[in-house]
Amino acid sequence: MRRTIIAGNWKMHKTQAEASEFWQDFKSAIAETAESREVVLCVPCTSLGVMSKNLHGSAVKLGAQNLHWEESGAYTGEISGPMLVEYGISYVIVGHSERRQFFGETDQTVNFRLRAAQRYGFTPILCVGESKAQRDEGETETLIISQLRKGLKGVDLADLVIAYEPIWAIGTGYTCEAHEANRVIGVIRSVLDRPEISILYGGSVKPQNIDELMAQPEIDGALVGGASLDPQGFARIINYRT
Ligand code: 13P
């Protein structure tokens, strides 16, 4: 069954102290949230320890933003599955466009990371999406289908979340129109042919546009960057109105 998932991607934001401060305000702001809405916080690895303790006993799930496919080794700056297991994380973001753009992530390394995530029992959130230039050239569908085909080789589709994040809508304030996000997510769903996979939208999701996005039949949730840093604003997104 498709689950409703609202995940925050804090990217490179918040110290441990700031993460705990967030949590104090956030937990009361979502106290009345229905359990059918799964809430995830994907925090920087420096805050995984403190957030793992904070989230203990709550329904909010913890997520990481990256993992390496090897168990250990000479990979400066990377983090491995066994290291993340110790924090009790449930999710890991893989293939975010910022990793593809700034850190040389390819469909091949995305694929390695996805399979590693599943080996360690984490549900990967695979990000796909086109740039403005690719959209203008009419390449959106071709690009996304290629990212899915290459990224998902050998990946267990039964334990996976997809996030459609058009690059031109990330951090820009330009949200993809709700009906267009719905259309592209519909394309992704038909390519995957697995009705149970939850597919999220990401890119300038805010308290002001979440109700319209969540009213779309294909959109199962959101991957939220900037607006997930504010406890009240993120709680409003989670408590979207239908
Ligand atoms: P913004 O919500 O800041 O646009 O970021 C979206 C995103 O990249 C989530 O992964």
Side-chain angles (χ1 to χ4, degrees):
M1 210 189 70
R2 283 157 56 184
R3 282 171 297 152
T4 302
I5 302 170
I6 310 285
N9 173 11
W10 281 2
K11 308 190 179 184
M12 195 175 71
H13 290 285
K14 294 195 190 294
T15 62
Q16 294 185 62
E18 290 164 345
S20 281
E21 200 179 312
F22 170 96
W23 178 247
Q24 290 314 316
D25 293 340
F26 184 62
K27 68 178 176 202
S28 44
I30 56 159
E32 305 294 321
T33 301
E35 289 211 354
S36 56
R37 296 185 184 182
E38 196 166 316
V39 180
V40 185
L41 288 174
C42 298
V43 307
C45 52
T46 46
S47 288
L48 284 172
V50 72
M51 290 308 277
S52 171
K53 290 197 187 94
N54 283 335
L55 267 51
H56 190 74
S58 99
V60 177
K61 301 269 173 39
L62 188 60
Q65 299 176 10
N66 187 25
L67 96 165
H68 197 270
W69 52 92
E70 295 290 349
E71 204 177 301
S72 62
Y75 301 103
T76 303
E78 289 284 323
I79 186 158
S80 75
M83 295 170 186
L84 291 172
V85 163
E86 291 188 326
Y87 295 111
I89 69 158
S90 306
Y91 288 92
V92 59
I93 297 172
V94 174
H96 193 281
S97 62
E98 287 151 13
R99 300 240 19 118
R100 295 180 194 255
Q101 192 179 346
F102 302 123
F103 301 101
E105 195 82 76
T106 64
D107 289 321
Q108 174 75 84
T109 56
V110 165
N111 178 258
F112 290 157
R113 292 184 205 271
L114 286 171
R115 290 191 298 175
Q118 292 186 332
R119 269 203 308 281
Y120 292 100
F122 315 137
T123 302
I125 303 175
L126 167 63
C127 302
V128 295
E130 80 288 358
S131 67
K132 173 85 170 65
Q134 288 161 331
R135 171 161 284 260
D136 291 347
E137 288 300 313
E139 292 167 0
T140 300
E141 285 80 2
T142 325
L143 185 270
I144 289 172
I145 291 168
S146 162
Q147 286 179 327
L148 292 169
R149 293 246 152 87
K150 292 177 183 157
L152 290 175
K153 268 187 204 145
V155 171
D156 179 6
L157 297 186
D159 189 20
L160 175 75
V161 171
I162 308 270
Y164 168 54
E165 297 208 314
I167 296 169
W168 48 273
I170 295 177
T172 57
Y174 299 114
T175 325
C176 185
E177 294 286 333
H179 62 85
E180 174 59 9
N182 186 68
R183 186 189 71 77
V184 177
I185 288 177
V187 171
I188 295 173
R189 199 178 300 290
S190 65
V191 170
L192 295 173
D193 197 24
R194 292 289 289 251
E196 77 276 18
I197 296 183
S198 296
I199 311 181
L200 320 181
Y201 167 76
S204 297
V205 174
K206 306 275 179 243
Q208 296 81 351
N209 57 26
I210 188 67
D211 298 345
E212 191 189 0
L213 286 163
M214 292 308 292
Q216 303 294 321
E218 298 288 355
I219 301 181
D220 298 322
L223 183 56
V224 187
S228 72
L229 298 171
D230 170 56
Q232 299 303 334
F234 191 39
R236 170 63 183 87
I237 290 173
I238 291 158
N239 295 324
Y240 66 85
R241 295 166 195 156
T242 50

